[in-house]
């Protein structure tokens, strides 16, 4: 199935489905940078990525947890999904203190919400997903950096 670099979704389920398609396509050590305003659908997309890795646990965005790890599988092999939410980060120094670069180079599939805040810390090969609200439950979603 073809994955268009830009598309519109009309429901949360469509956004989850797109997340699952992205999750199946990226290498398992990839960093996926999600950018978009509060309520755009970043966490919703992460739920789809988790689904593609057969993760049964609920994906949440706990207020004070910056990083959550989930054990998943793809093609019969274990894959760790690292879900990072930088919403609460104010200063770039906090990103350094978090050890983000080490985390991203550890071989997990990492997905970062509010990746704008980590702009200088993202590895080569990062896949960017930009989500914007276009109204009536619709979201405009652009994917770049992924060989589609
Ligand atoms: P974020 O993590 O970007 O703050 P969430 O994924 O937590 O956003 O929330 C998105 C909200 O928007 C959810 O309440 C979801 O039900 C709603 N929503 C409505 N339409 C869509 C859509 N097309 N895609 C994703 N979420 C949608
Ligand atoms: Mg979120």
């Amino acid at each position: 199935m073809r994955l268009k670099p830009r598309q519109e979704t009309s429901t949360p389920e469509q956004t989850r489905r797109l997340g699952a398609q992205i999750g199946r396509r990226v290498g398992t050590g990839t960093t996926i940078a999600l950018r978009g305003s509060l309520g755009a659908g970043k966490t919703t997309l992460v739920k789809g990525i988790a689904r593609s890795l057969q993760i049964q646990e609920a994906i949440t965005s706990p207020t004070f947890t910056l990083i959550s790890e989930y054990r998943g599988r793809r093609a019969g092999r274990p894959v760790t999904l690292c879900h990072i939410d930088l919403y609460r980060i104010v200063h770039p120094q906090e990103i350094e203190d978090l050890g983000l670069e080490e985390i991203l180079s550890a071989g997990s599939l990492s997905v970062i919400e509010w990746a704008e805040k980590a702009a200088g810390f993202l590895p080569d090969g990062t896949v960017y997903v930009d989500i914007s609200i276009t109204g009536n439950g619709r979201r405009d979603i652009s994917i770049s950096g992924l060989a589609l």
Side-chain angles (χ1 to χ4, degrees):
M1 204 197 310
R2 227 176 89 75
L3 193 48
K4 288 183 283 178
R6 183 168 177 198
Q7 55 193 285
E8 194 171 59
T9 65
S10 335
T11 64
E13 176 54 24
Q14 282 179 13
T15 298
R16 283 192 291 271
R17 223 172 279 158
L18 178 59
Q21 288 173 5
I22 295 169
R24 279 193 292 271
R25 233 156 271 228
V26 296
T28 51
T30 303
T31 296
I32 303 175
L34 307 183
R35 299 182 295 203
S37 59
L38 190 66
K42 300 180 294 299
T43 303
T44 302
L45 195 100
V46 177
K47 289 177 183 174
I49 294 171
R51 186 195 283 177
S52 77
L53 299 175
Q54 300 171 46
I55 292 165
Q56 314 288 335
E57 275 168 273
I59 303 294
T60 54
S61 287
T63 320
F64 294 106
T65 310
L66 288 168
I67 303 176
S68 312
E69 282 195 345
Y70 302 90
R71 307 209 172 284
R73 298 187 79 73
R74 199 170 77 178
R77 292 165 180 262
V79 178
T80 301
L81 175 67
C82 191
H83 178 201
I84 301 162
D85 192 332
L86 301 179
Y87 179 61
R88 303 214 156 253
I89 294 285
V90 180
H91 302 292
Q93 181 64 45
E94 295 174 74
I95 306 251
E96 278 183 45
D97 296 345
L98 197 64
L100 186 67
E101 283 173 295
E102 288 74 17
I103 294 164
L104 299 182
S105 58
S108 305
L109 176 46
S110 297
V111 189
I112 309 177
E113 297 193 39
W114 297 99
E116 299 90 328
K117 301 186 184 194
F121 299 91
L122 301 176
D124 290 346
T126 295
V127 172
Y128 291 87
V129 181
D130 292 289
I131 310 178
S132 47
I133 302 176
T134 47
N136 286 333
R138 295 181 176 275
R139 303 293 190 267
D140 183 278
I141 303 178
S142 298
I143 307 162
S144 59
L146 179 61
L148 300 169

